[in-house]
Amino acid sequence: MPTTQMLRLAALIPMTAAMAACLDLSGPGLDSNPNSPSKATANQLLASVQGFGMAQLTGDYNRLASVYVQHMAGAGRQWLTLDAPYLNDEGSFGTWNGYYTGGGLIDIRGLQSQARTAGDRVYLGIGQVLEALFVGTLADFWGDIPYREALGGSTTPRLDPQLQVYGDIQVLLDSAIANLSSGTGAGPGAVDLIYGGDASSWRRAANTLKARYFLHAARTRNGDYALAAAAAAQGIQSSAGDLRTYQSANVGEENQWFQFRRGRGTDIAAGQFIVNLMQGRGDPRLTQYFGPSGQGPIRGVPPNTEDETASWLSATRGAAGFRQPLVTWAENQLILAEAQVRSGSGTPLALLNDVRTAAGYTTPLTGLTGNALLEEILLEKYIALFQNPEAWSDYRRTCIPNLQLFNGAVRIPTRFIYGADERQTNSNVPSPNAVPRYMTAFPRNTTTPTGAVCAGQQP
C-alpha cells in the first residue's frame, strides 16, 4: 500500500499523551504525534524497528547503492540493467514505505511516546537515534522527503528540503544525547538487540551520526567541517562500539544479503573496481569481503556484466548471521581525519593509520599532506564502508573514488527516483522528469580534491 495511504490510516489511530515539559528536548515537533498503535509496548515496537526496520536499511536500496559505487556489480537478470546504464525507474523497487510504516518511523514514534509516558529518557533517546538514522537515510537516498508533516495527519505531506531535514536531525540528535546522558530510566535492557540498552554506546553512535550529517551538509556549508570534527571527537571510540544490525541463522532473522543470494542467485557479484583496488593495495580485508570465484582466485566484474562465476561475499560477510555495520568506529575516525585535513589542524595522518592498522596493515603511511592525504583518507573510507550506502554519499560529495562510466551511462546516479505510488497518491511528489536521478546538487563538485575531472559526473 502506498506510503500516503498508510499515513492516512496512521493518522486515525489515537495518540498517546505526551510527557511533561521536562522531557520536551526534541526541537520542532520532530518526535511528537507518534501515530502508533497504542496497544503495542515499547519493547514490541523496538523489536519491530530492529527487525523489520533494519531490513529496510540493508535491503534492495542498500544493494543498489553498493552497485552505484561499484562495491558490487549487476551480473544477471534485472540487476544487469539496474547497474550501468542505470535503467531503474519509478517502478523499480516500489516506494519508501518500509522507512515510514511497520518497523519504520511510525513504530519509532510510538516507542518514543511510550518512553515519555514512562518517564524513561534513556529509552526515549534510543528512539530518537533510531529516528535520525532512518530519516537521515531517506534524505541521503531521495533528497527532499516528507518529514515534518509525514505523520501529522496530512494526506499529502509536503517534501522538506534535504538540508532542512539534516538540520532537523541535528536538533533531534542533540535531544537524544541529552536524554541518553540523563541517567533517567532503565531503557530497554537486553530487549535492545544492538547495544543491550547501553546508553553510552547509543550516545557515541548519536555523535557519529551528527558528524556524518554535518559532512553531508558541508558540501554547501563549509563551516560544518568543524562541527563534524567536534561531534566525531565524541563519537564511537572502538570497533566494539559499532552500530550493527541484529541477524541470526533463524528463519526471518537472516542477513538481507544472505537472503538475496539464496533467492536471486548470481544476480549480483563482486565489483571489479574495488577488487582491483584492494588487490593493488595489498589490502588485508580482501578475503574478509569476498570469497573465491568459480575459477579460484577472487575476481570481480565490471558494471552490467553477466557472469555466473565471479566472486560473491566471503563466507563471513555472506553468512545468515552476519551483522551488517551501519555506523562504525572506522567511519567516525575517517570523518575526523577528513575534517582535520580540510582545516589544516590535528593529526589526520595518524587517524588514517589507526584505521589501516585495525584493518590489518603493518606499515604506516608517511609523508602525505594536503589534498593527497585527503584523497587517501577518502579511498580508505570507501573500502572501510564496503556495503554501506555512506560510501555513495562520500562519492557524491567528493568524487572519490573517481569511478568510470560503462555501457553508455550518462552519469552515475546521485539519487533514487521517487516511487510511482508516492507520486500518484501525493501531489507534492514530482515526476521523474522534474527531479531526475542526476541532480546537479548531488554532488556539488565535478572534480576530485586534486582537480581531476570527475568521470562519472560530467554534463
Side-chain angles (χ1 to χ4, degrees):
M1 185 179 293
T3 298
T4 304
Q5 292 177 3
M6 286 292 213
L7 297 181
R8 289 172 186 166
L9 293 175
L12 299 177
I13 299 171
M15 294 181 294
T16 306
M19 276 293 290
C22 64
L23 290 181
D24 186 15
L25 301 170
S26 58
L30 297 181
D31 58 2
S32 61
N33 193 17
N35 292 312
S36 182
S38 58
K39 293 182 180 179
T41 68
N43 287 350
Q44 289 169 331
L45 293 168
L46 180 63
S48 174
V49 173
Q50 294 187 346
F52 295 114
M54 291 297 182
Q56 291 294 319
L57 298 181
T58 57
D60 275 335
Y61 287 121
N62 175 287
R63 282 184 284 276
L64 193 55
S66 292
V67 163
Y68 286 168
V69 296
Q70 298 177 29
H71 279 167
M72 306 297 288
R77 295 189 291 182
Q78 176 192 22
W79 283 86
L80 282 169
T81 53
L82 290 175
D83 202 341
Y86 312 115
L87 298 182
N88 50 304
D89 56 27
E90 63 177 352
S92 292
F93 288 136
T95 68
W96 50 39
N97 279 358
Y99 293 91
Y100 289 101
T101 57
L105 189 58
I106 289 176
D107 285 352
I108 291 170
R109 292 282 181 85
L111 182 161
Q112 293 170 3
S113 177
Q114 299 234 9
R116 285 192 191 87
T117 299
D120 193 329
R121 294 183 63 182
V122 171
Y123 216 143
L124 174 59
I126 291 171
Q128 291 169 319
V129 177
L130 288 167
E131 177 171 336
L133 176 61
F134 276 66
V135 174
T137 300
L138 274 164
D140 293 343
F141 284 174
W142 281 278
D144 300 348
I145 60 168
Y147 186 34
R148 291 189 177 183
E149 294 181 357
L151 304 186
S154 172
T155 59
T156 56
R158 65 184 172 89
L159 276 62
D160 298 319
Q162 184 193 52
L163 284 177
Q164 176 183 298
V165 174
Y166 287 151
D168 287 349
I169 288 172
Q170 295 293 357
V171 175
L172 181 67
L173 286 168
D174 284 340
S175 174
I177 290 166
N179 285 325
L180 290 164
S181 302
S182 70
T184 302
V191 173
D192 170 18
L193 300 175
I194 296 176
Y195 287 132
D198 183 67
S200 63
S201 295
W202 280 104
R203 184 177 68 248
R204 293 197 178 279
N207 276 292
T208 298
L209 282 175
K210 283 182 65 67
R212 173 188 287 185
Y213 294 120
F214 278 132
L215 265 197
H216 291 192
R219 66 175 180 260
T220 54
R221 296 196 301 252
N222 193 56
D224 282 6
Y225 287 117
L227 297 173
Q234 302 299 316
I236 298 172
Q237 299 297 297
S238 73
S239 58
D242 290 352
L243 194 162
R244 292 174 173 263
T245 61
Y246 175 77
Q247 316 290 169
S248 81
N250 295 330
V251 175
E253 295 180 354
E254 302 105 327
N255 181 284
Q256 287 291 301
W257 287 78
F258 170 87
Q259 293 189 46
F260 179 89
R261 184 69 165 183
R262 181 176 59 193
R264 300 287 298 188
T266 58
D267 282 12
I268 293 179
Q272 183 183 72
F273 180 86
I274 191 172
V275 169
N276 289 354
L277 177 66
M278 296 178 76
Q279 288 173 336
R281 293 160 66 94
D283 196 301
R285 291 163 291 192
L286 182 64
T287 55
Q288 298 171 24
Y289 289 1
F290 300 108
S293 68
Q295 285 77 41
I298 292 173
R299 181 176 60 83
V301 296
N304 186 253
T305 301
E306 190 166 9
D307 190 329
E308 294 187 355
T309 65
S311 293
W312 173 244
L313 300 174
S314 68
T316 298
R317 289 190 81 101
F322 180 72
R323 299 183 63 177
Q324 205 74 29
L326 299 178
V327 189
T328 66
W329 168 80
E331 177 190 353
N332 188 83
Q333 292 298 94
L334 294 168
I335 289 173
L336 184 56
E338 178 183 350
Q340 287 185 355
V341 75
R342 288 185 183 277
S343 66
S345 62
T347 57
L349 181 56
L351 293 169
L352 171 61
N353 279 323
D354 285 346
V355 176
R356 285 170 53 87
T357 298
Y361 284 102
T362 57
T363 304
L365 296 174
T366 59
L368 288 173
T369 60
N371 285 332
L373 174 56
L374 177 58
E375 288 206 358
E376 185 60 35
I377 289 167
L378 292 168
L379 267 181
E380 174 60 34
K381 195 175 176 195
Y382 168 77
I383 296 170
L385 293 179
F386 177 59
Q387 295 180 285
N388 189 321
E390 187 60 16
W392 188 32
S393 292
D394 283 344
Y395 170 75
R396 291 175 291 187
R397 287 191 306 113
T398 69
C399 196
I400 297 295
N402 196 348
L403 301 169
Q404 303 300 302
L405 292 172
F406 288 84
N407 300 328
V410 178
R411 299 177 196 167
I412 293 171
T414 50
R415 64 177 296 277
F416 292 149
I417 297 173
Y418 297 120
D421 287 347
E422 302 301 332
R423 181 173 55 79
Q424 292 165 4
T425 57
N426 185 350
S427 59
N428 290 314
V429 175
S431 70
N433 291 333
V435 189
R437 64 173 65 85
Y438 309 111
M439 291 179 66
T440 55
F442 292 87
R444 184 166 171 247
N445 301 314
T446 56
T447 61
T448 69
T450 55
V453 173
C454 184
Q457 295 301 322
Q458 290 310 294

